[in-house]
């Protein structure tokens, strides 16, 4: 009532974003009002561009504006080392840390029979096709440790057991700086199981 | 690096909004990617509309798309009762609560000699002009209790002391549900000073 229609419309738009409630949307809309014209035009265009320009990489399913994403088309990367991820946004975390020089494959989900998600519902066939067609030596599965994650890892390793490719998955355990008191039992169990020898006293 | 340019551009735009950091901007941009085309077009347009369609009401300085805001042009409201506010967004709070049937005047700031903000720097002259030209019977000053707020209230009441208009300001004191232990001394002092008699035992 107190605000003109344009402002109310923008508040409604902001409220559709995750974690944005009425108050925050209002503050964001009022801030938008104070942006200069150049920022407004860039902002307005960016929203359209993100929807109309971004598609998925034909090879790895990463977000891209071209047929192949910047990682798949980068000749300097190690294309024989493949990291399997659940979601395209996971790629950004690896890239930010600058700890991985291989390429990726995004599954766009995890196998979950309980929720009716079968291997055919995620992008797993194209992974096996890549193993057949590309010169891949090692696959590192980096999906979250969970029933769905374990099921997916097991399925991939089973399907690839006859192929000449090493399949590994990232380690599960206690994260750095975490108090043992606050750990869930599943993590603790995995940390115990995957324990690492640090002395050779008994040899 | 991991994300395509369109996505990075939108993340940068979201980061310009108040209280939005890298992580939230990223989450918001990824959510935008999943909006349907209609929502995207509305969102993109809304941002432009808010900048190019919204101006200030010629009478009260509220946000509006026309010459006069919806409140000033509403004949059913009490145009002889005027509430003076610091910022246009304050109007929305009053309107939402539906507790005020008069009209508003937005100062767009408060007098603050320490910060070099003099009466001429805020929209206070137009307030006095309204008192001269419109049939205003009472002015309620509803600005935040602070040195700037008190200075502004005092200035308005001084400037209007010869006019046939009642000037009041909203009460200061302890907010509902607040523990006295956590009150600042200035609020407590104001609450003591403005104390209200509730029994007549000593009469």
């Amino acid at each position: 009532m107190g605000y003109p229609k344009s402002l109310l419309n923008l508040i409604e738009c902001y409220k559709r974003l995750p974690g944005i409630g009425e108050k925050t949307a209002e503050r964001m809309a009022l801030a938008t009002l104070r942006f200069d014209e150049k920022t407004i035009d860039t902002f307005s265009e960016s929203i359209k561009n993100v929807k109309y320009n971004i598609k998925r990489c034909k090879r790895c399913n990463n977000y891209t504006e071209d047929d192949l994403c910047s990682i798949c088309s980068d000749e300097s990367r190690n294309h024989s080392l493949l990291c399997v991820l659940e979601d395209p946004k996971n790629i950004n975390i690896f890239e930010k840390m600058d700890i991985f020089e291989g390429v990726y494959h995004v599954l766009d989900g995890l196998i979950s029979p309980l929720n009716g998600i079968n291997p055919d519902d995620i992008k797993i066939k194209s992974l096996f096709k890549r193993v057949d067609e590309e010169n891949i030596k090692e696959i590192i599965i980096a999906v979250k440790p969970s029933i769905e994650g374990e099921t997916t890892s097991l399925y991939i390793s089973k399907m690839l057991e006859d192929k000449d490719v090493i399949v590994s998955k990232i380690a599960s355990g206690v994260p750095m700086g975490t108090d043992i008191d606050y750990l869930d039992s599943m993590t603790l169990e995995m940390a115990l199981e995957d324990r690492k020898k640090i002395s050779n006293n008994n040899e």
Side-chain angles (χ1 to χ4, degrees), chain A residues 1-188:
Chain A
M1 174 72 196
Y3 284 141
K5 200 152 174 43
S6 308
L7 204 55
L8 294 176
N9 283 345
L10 185 59
I11 292 174
E12 282 311 307
C13 286
Y14 280 139
K15 272 166 67 183
R16 285 168 166 266
L17 294 168
I20 306 299
E22 180 80 37
K23 276 266 171 192
T24 313
E26 189 183 325
R27 207 169 72 227
M28 283 162 57
L30 291 168
T32 312
L33 200 58
R34 287 188 294 269
F35 284 170
D36 57 48
E37 294 185 4
K38 196 166 159 272
T39 309
I40 286 289
D41 294 343
T42 312
F43 196 175
S44 172
E45 276 308 299
S46 298
I47 286 174
K48 283 198 171 169
N49 287 344
V50 112
K51 181 71 187 176
Y52 298 113
N53 294 359
I54 293 183
K55 45 189 181 180
R56 293 304 189 86
C57 173
K58 286 202 169 154
R59 195 178 288 163
C60 76
N61 305 319
N62 185 14
Y63 293 129
T64 178
E65 283 166 8
D66 309 298
D67 278 352
L68 286 185
C69 75
S70 57
I71 295 165
C72 283
S73 54
D74 185 349
E75 297 281 336
S76 71
R77 297 188 74 117
N78 180 357
H79 286 258
S80 67
L81 182 62
L82 193 77
C83 181
V84 175
L85 299 169
E86 178 185 351
D87 195 284
K89 69 176 183 230
N90 302 147
I91 293 183
N92 208 39
I93 293 163
F94 276 82
E95 290 303 296
K96 264 189 203 155
M97 292 185 184
D98 205 17
I99 45 170
F100 182 70
E101 46 152 33
V103 291
Y104 301 94
H105 186 88
V106 176
L107 294 175
D108 249 355
L110 294 174
I111 301 171
S112 172
L114 275 177
N115 297 308
I117 303 169
N118 298 312
D120 283 350
D121 299 319
I122 63 174
K123 285 160 182 166
I124 208 164
K125 258 188 194 161
S126 53
L127 170 66
F128 302 142
K129 206 172 154 226
R130 286 181 74 178
V131 174
D132 287 335
E133 290 173 2
E134 296 171 34
N135 181 27
I136 291 163
K137 293 201 175 75
E138 184 175 356
I139 288 178
I140 302 168
I141 302 173
V143 298
K144 65 166 169 280
S146 63
I147 300 195
E148 292 80 12
E150 296 304 305
T151 310
T152 310
S153 301
L154 209 66
Y155 182 83
I156 293 173
S157 63
K158 276 270 173 201
M159 293 293 283
L160 293 176
E161 60 187 359
D162 299 331
K163 309 278 178 187
D164 187 22
V165 60
I166 302 163
V167 179
S168 60
K169 63 170 189 177
I170 54 167
S172 299
V174 188
M176 288 292 282
T178 300
D179 202 321
I180 303 289
D181 289 356
Y182 297 106
L183 267 190
D184 61 297
S185 60
M186 208 168 152
T187 304
L188 200 57

